[in-house]
Amino acid sequence: MLPAVNGPSEQFLTDLDQIQSAMNTVQRQLSSGLRVGQASDDPSAVPSILKTQSEIAQNNQAQTDLNQVSTELQTGDSSLQQAVALMEQAITLAAQTGSPGDTATQNATLAAQVRGIQQQLVNLSNTSVNGRYIFSGDSDQQAAYAVDSTQPNGVQQLSPAKSTLAITDTNGNTLWTPITAQQIFDARNPDGSTAAGNVFAAVNTLLTALQNNDSSAATASVDSLTTADDYLNQQLGLIGIAETRVADATTAATKSVTTEQQSLGSLRDADTAGDAVELTQLNTQQQAALSARATMSQYNLFDFLA
Amino acid sequence: MSNLMTSLATAGNALDVYQQALNVVQNNITNSTTAGYAKQSLNLVAQPLDGASGLAGGVAAQGLDSARDEYAEEEVRRQLQSLGKYETQTSGVSSIENLFDVTGNSGIPADLNNLYSSFSAWAASPDSTSARQMVIANAGNLASDVRSLAGSLAEVSQNVQSQIGSTVSQINQLAANIQQYNVERLQQGSSDPGTDANMHSALEQLSELVDVSVVNQPDGTVTVLMDGGSPLVVGTSQYSISSGQAVSSGAVNQQSPPSSQILDSQGNDITSQIQGGKLGGLLDVHNRVLASLVGDGQQAGSLNQFAKAFADTVNGLLQSGTVSSDSGAAQGAALFVYDNSDATAAAGSFALNPAITPDQLAPVDAQGNANGNANQLASLANSTSAGGVNGLTFGDFFSGIASFVGQESSTASTNQQSQQDVVTQTRALRDQASGVSLDDQAVLMMQFQKGYEATARLLTTLNSIAETTINMITE
């Protein structure tokens, strides 16, 4: 059987073991930099730590996603600004017609320019970013429109105009639902008929008039072109609003990450200075205990009996 | 003359008594570090002295007195039962705790975060093949880690069961030793310090292993009963216990991991009677802590709850939607698979659907929103509107599991430290009463030595007187 350790010695060993255990814990915290490296270090803090980690991950991902959306919005903004410029060019061309000296040749030349504007507007309706047609709604792998002179408005719609994609923040609030090429360039009334601000229709009206050498009709198209231009500017404004909302959400996510990382640090990370002091104190305590034990009398009466 | 002879005999007897006393001191000193030994003292009784009637007085030895304090011994055993329990709880739960990463940098918490991030990225680009592939890859990592955790917990369970088996063997061996000491006690007819020390040492070791009560019988033997009354040792008979595993016949989950059982010598299940000692701690770790995680006959286990609920939620969303916004698009496929034949099988079988391909993932929800499903899946990170467990998000539920394990470990460790102090103190109190002090024995040795020397001188003097008397007679 194992020999028995006497009471005082057993107490000494127990106390020494507890000091060593505390030192091991502090050393582990110092070397890992974590106050909570395992669940038993602070069980009540574990849910908060993991939740904060999760929130940081969500907000980091939100920043990435919103940056992508922001890129698309900026590209869309640029495309619509170009479209507005093209519309103003078309208005200028339409205003040039109707002069007494207009000839079929002059109108044909103007028609060629308007045809170019029409093609560029269709190209802008098919703007893509990283392989996505940003104005194609849910069918982002398919171009929205193509020029087709056989169609009433001079274009062929290639993809349905449905847009149900919702860009949300980390709380699930919808920031932006992308607008479609139909909404921007091919405005329709609820019954499907061409609406007043229809860009393709207005341009095609001018083109048809010039192709038919109908200067008065060409001149009359200025009104519809102006209306379409105003409508285009409204769509540009919507994108601007979306850009602002996305930028605000991105900023909020960035700030959240900073706050959450600070919170995580206070929950999880070790207090290096405090731990170092504690380790020093424990070291001192251990040395004192050992020294005291060493100076204790090891003698009993037998040592003095001759 | 006859009185002179009587005095000589009495003095000679006294020398013998002092010799016995010195032998007792010698035995105390040599056994000062023997486990279970209680200091002995020779009971010295003065003999009647009446010179007129020829009673010469003197001293006689009337057996040994043991300093053992049975109350203190019982207190030590009682505290050891608690210490043993906390020790095995601490070691058992710490091995479970090591399986749960709580930094959030790895393991299931990190996998969940990665999966939610990939859902979010997919929501931004629902038709992106790379986004879909990331979803599948991260789902695979989560499934792998859930299975791995379930497997590791099963290994811990096996280790604990193995420790239960070896602890039961130790208990039976100690019971056999105690039974043998009872036999020796009966053969000796009187209390022998050596047998007594061995007996109490064995009882102390046994107490650390299992909660027992000890009854000292008038014949000097001990009866050892487990706290529910099941016998371990009664007189010269030993009753062995055994360990096993079983799923109760009325269990809800018949395929569940079996619970640990302890059976008495009649085959009766006495598991519920065992609360203390290392065996009690091991049973607690296996049948309560582990069972709450991996399940048993009556409960699914929190890890299985998590796996099942997560798979069902994700699969439900995906299968209710379509793979694209195109007309006639196919329904989505399940992302996860698991064995649902038993509530306790989910985590161990949790896996990525082996047949899933990126184009089978359904970002479109049942209402036709292009990224409705993807958004709902991403929202699982911080909302229960699309699904959860017991009103909690999946992340919060899993953190609760980790926190529970941490709390168990912390409590057991704190209890162990506190109880170690208590055991040390009770042992010290016991040793004050029954332990051997070398200083005390040195004083006694000197005392008996002086007595022996004085008696020897007296004997010499008496002998001289007797010689003188005899010489007087013969002259």
Side-chain angles (χ1 to χ4, degrees):
Chain A
M1 293 175 198
L2 295 174
V5 179
N6 65 41
S9 297
E10 187 175 1
Q11 184 66 59
F12 171 73
L13 291 173
T14 299
D15 293 340
L16 211 60
D17 187 54
Q18 290 181 359
I19 294 172
Q20 187 62 52
S21 178
M23 288 173 67
N24 290 343
T25 298
V26 173
Q27 284 174 335
R28 178 169 53 78
Q29 290 179 350
L30 278 172
S31 61
S32 68
L34 298 173
R35 182 185 68 89
V36 183
Q38 54 193 29
S40 59
D41 289 338
D42 189 350
S44 62
V46 168
S48 298
I49 289 170
L50 294 180
K51 189 170 186 65
T52 304
Q53 280 274 41
S54 176
E55 289 170 351
I56 290 172
Q58 288 172 54
N59 280 308
N60 279 332
Q61 184 61 42
Q63 289 179 66
T64 302
D65 296 340
L66 291 174
N67 284 337
Q68 176 185 326
V69 172
S70 179
T71 300
E72 293 179 359
L73 285 171
Q74 287 171 8
T75 305
D77 186 303
S78 173
S79 295
L80 260 63
Q81 286 187 25
Q82 291 177 57
V84 167
L86 288 169
M87 287 303 293
E88 290 171 352
Q89 189 179 350
I91 291 170
T92 302
L93 290 175
Q96 289 177 2
T97 62
S99 303
D102 279 352
T103 65
T105 305
Q106 286 172 323
N107 283 341
T109 302
L110 289 174
Q113 292 182 55
V114 173
R115 196 177 298 112
I117 289 172
Q118 184 187 53
Q119 182 63 63
Q120 288 179 75
L121 285 171
V122 170
N123 291 344
L124 289 172
S125 74
N126 297 328
T127 301
S128 70
V129 176
N130 295 327
R132 284 190 62 238
Y133 290 101
I134 63 174
F135 296 132
S136 291
D138 295 347
S139 305
D140 61 2
Q141 301 302 304
Q142 171 70 51
Y145 284 93
V147 173
D148 186 348
S149 60
T150 66
Q151 298 299 317
N153 292 335
V155 294
Q156 172 70 49
Q157 188 173 15
L158 302 177
S159 65
K162 188 171 71 167
S163 177
T164 59
L165 193 80
I167 304 300
T168 60
D169 61 14
T170 55
N171 295 320
N173 302 314
T174 300
L175 299 173
W176 168 242
T177 296
I179 52 178
T180 62
Q182 182 185 59
Q183 180 179 348
I184 299 170
F185 298 101
D186 193 11
R188 304 287 178 86
N189 292 316
D191 62 358
S193 60
T194 301
N198 195 307
V199 169
F200 288 146
V203 170
N204 197 56
T205 299
L206 173 61
L207 176 62
T208 302
L210 289 171
Q211 285 173 335
N212 294 336
N213 197 26
D214 186 348
S215 296
S216 61
T219 304
S221 70
V222 169
D223 287 341
S224 63
L225 286 167
T226 303
T227 302
D229 184 47
D230 290 341
Y231 177 81
L232 208 53
N233 274 294
Q234 289 174 10
Q235 304 308 301
L236 184 59
L238 290 178
I239 290 184
I241 291 171
E243 284 180 284
T244 301
R245 294 172 78 180
V246 168
D248 289 346
T250 304
T251 301
T254 304
K255 286 182 178 176
S256 292
V257 168
T258 302
T259 303
E260 285 153 4
Q261 284 179 337
Q262 289 173 347
S263 176
L264 182 65
S266 65
L267 283 170
R268 183 193 62 181
D269 295 345
D271 173 11
T272 307
D275 284 347
V277 169
E278 187 178 353
L279 186 61
T280 302
Q281 289 173 340
L282 289 169
N283 259 323
T284 303
Q285 192 177 348
Q286 185 186 53
Q287 293 302 316
L290 290 170
S291 297
R293 187 70 181 179
T295 58
M296 281 175 63
S297 173
Q298 306 298 318
Y299 296 116
N300 57 56
L301 185 54
F302 283 102
D303 294 308
F304 295 97
L305 292 174
Chain B
M1 188 63 176
S2 65
N3 283 341
L4 190 59
M5 293 300 129
T6 305
S7 295
L8 276 170
T10 302
N13 185 62
L15 285 179
D16 183 56
V17 169
Y18 282 125
Q19 185 61 54
Q20 290 181 49
L22 285 168
N23 284 342
V24 171
V25 169
Q26 167 272 132
N27 192 55
N28 284 340
I29 293 168
T30 53
N31 283 295
S32 61
T33 59
T34 300
Y37 184 81
K39 71 182 174 193
Q40 308 291 310
S41 58
L42 191 65
N43 190 16
L44 301 180
V45 178
Q47 298 302 293
L49 174 65
D50 185 351
S53 29
L55 295 173
V59 63
Q62 287 195 354
L64 293 173
D65 286 340
S66 172
R68 188 175 301 283
D69 182 339
E70 286 296 342
Y71 177 78
E73 295 285 351
E74 185 182 336
E75 186 63 17
V76 169
R77 287 195 294 266
R78 195 169 67 85
Q79 298 303 336
L80 278 172
Q81 290 169 14
S82 296
L83 179 63
K85 176 179 179 178
Y86 297 144
E87 282 177 346
T88 48
Q89 282 181 329
T90 300
S91 64
V93 179
S94 70
S95 64
I96 298 172
E97 176 187 25
N98 292 336
L99 302 175
F100 289 83
D101 180 284
V102 295
T103 64
N105 297 326
S106 67
I108 290 173
D111 292 337
L112 279 175
N113 290 340
N114 290 337
L115 183 56
Y116 293 144
S117 292
S118 60
F119 283 147
S120 183
W122 184 34
S125 304
D127 291 333
S128 165
T129 301
S130 62
R132 291 167 179 243
Q133 286 171 338
M134 279 306 296
V135 167
I136 290 174
N138 287 323
N141 290 338
L142 174 65
S144 175
D145 279 346
V146 169
R147 277 201 316 280
S148 175
L149 178 57
S152 296
L153 288 171
E155 278 184 25
V156 171
S157 177
Q158 287 172 9
N159 287 339
V160 172
Q161 184 59 35
S162 174
Q163 288 178 55
I164 288 173
S166 66
T167 302
V168 165
S169 296
Q170 291 176 51
I171 290 170
N172 288 334
Q173 180 58 52
L174 285 167
N177 293 345
I178 293 169
Q179 177 257 346
Q180 188 56 40
Y181 299 142
N182 277 348
V183 169
E184 288 178 17
R185 183 71 66 83
L186 289 174
Q187 289 172 348
Q188 290 158 359
S190 61
S191 177
D192 170 69
T195 304
D196 186 61
N198 293 336
M199 173 79 79
H200 281 82
S201 178
L203 287 171
E204 195 165 312
Q205 292 177 62
L206 183 63
S207 296
E208 197 168 353
L209 298 179
V210 67
D211 38 352
V212 294
S213 39
V214 177
V215 180
N216 292 307
Q217 301 299 332
D219 60 4
T221 64
V222 298
T223 297
V224 182
L225 305 172
M226 299 184 72
D227 261 3
S230 300
L232 279 178
V233 180
V234 179
T236 57
S237 299
Q238 181 212 344
Y239 301 88
S240 294
I241 60 174
S242 60
S243 64
Q245 290 184 292
V247 178
S248 64
S249 58
V252 173
N253 307 315
Q254 284 294 317
Q255 307 299 321
S256 70
S259 298
S260 289
Q261 277 187 324
I262 303 298
L263 307 176
D264 68 9
S265 57
Q266 305 297 316
N268 302 313
D269 186 349
I270 57 170
T271 312
S272 61
Q273 299 175 18
I274 300 170
Q275 300 293 320
K278 290 186 175 179
L279 186 59
L282 290 168
L283 289 170
D284 181 70
V285 170
H286 190 279
N287 292 347
R288 184 181 64 86
V289 179
L290 278 169
S292 74
L293 300 174
V294 301
D296 60 17
Q298 301 302 326
Q299 58 182 327
S302 52
L303 188 62
N304 292 310
Q305 268 187 291
F306 168 83
K308 179 183 187 317
F310 192 78
D312 288 350
T313 298
V314 171
N315 289 347
L317 284 169
L318 291 174
Q319 290 176 312
S320 69
T322 54
V323 300
S324 74
S325 299
D326 297 339
S327 174
Q331 296 286 123
L335 187 57
F336 296 108
V337 294
Y338 65 90
D339 180 1
N340 64 353
S341 63
D342 189 277
T344 62
S349 59
F350 189 64
L352 183 69
N353 178 2
I356 192 81
T357 56
D359 57 359
Q360 290 179 312
L361 290 178
V364 184
D365 63 16
Q367 287 72 44
N369 298 308
N371 63 349
N373 264 357
N375 275 332
Q376 287 188 76
L377 288 168
S379 75
L380 292 175
N382 59 4
S383 167
T384 57
S385 59
V389 189
N390 296 345
L392 299 172
T393 65
F394 293 102
D396 286 345
F397 183 78
F398 188 82
S399 339
I401 298 175
S403 178
F404 159 74
V405 173
Q407 187 61 57
E408 289 287 328
S409 180
S410 176
T411 300
S413 177
T414 301
N415 286 342
Q416 181 191 358
Q417 285 188 8
S418 302
Q419 192 62 28
Q420 183 64 61
D421 283 337
V422 173
V423 166
T424 300
Q425 288 166 20
T426 52
R427 276 178 167 159
L429 285 172
R430 178 197 58 189
D431 291 345
Q432 279 180 17
S434 60
V436 175
S437 164
L438 291 179
D439 288 336
D440 289 350
Q441 298 306 308
V443 169
L444 286 173
M445 186 192 75
M446 286 164 48
Q447 187 178 315
F448 292 134
Q449 180 187 9
K450 292 299 180 190
Y452 187 92
E453 287 173 358
T455 304
R457 287 183 187 277
L458 173 64
L459 194 60
T460 303
T461 302
L462 289 173
N463 184 53
S464 175
I465 294 172
E467 279 185 1
T468 302
T469 304
I470 290 169
N471 289 338
M472 285 170 63
I473 294 172
T474 55
E475 280 177 1

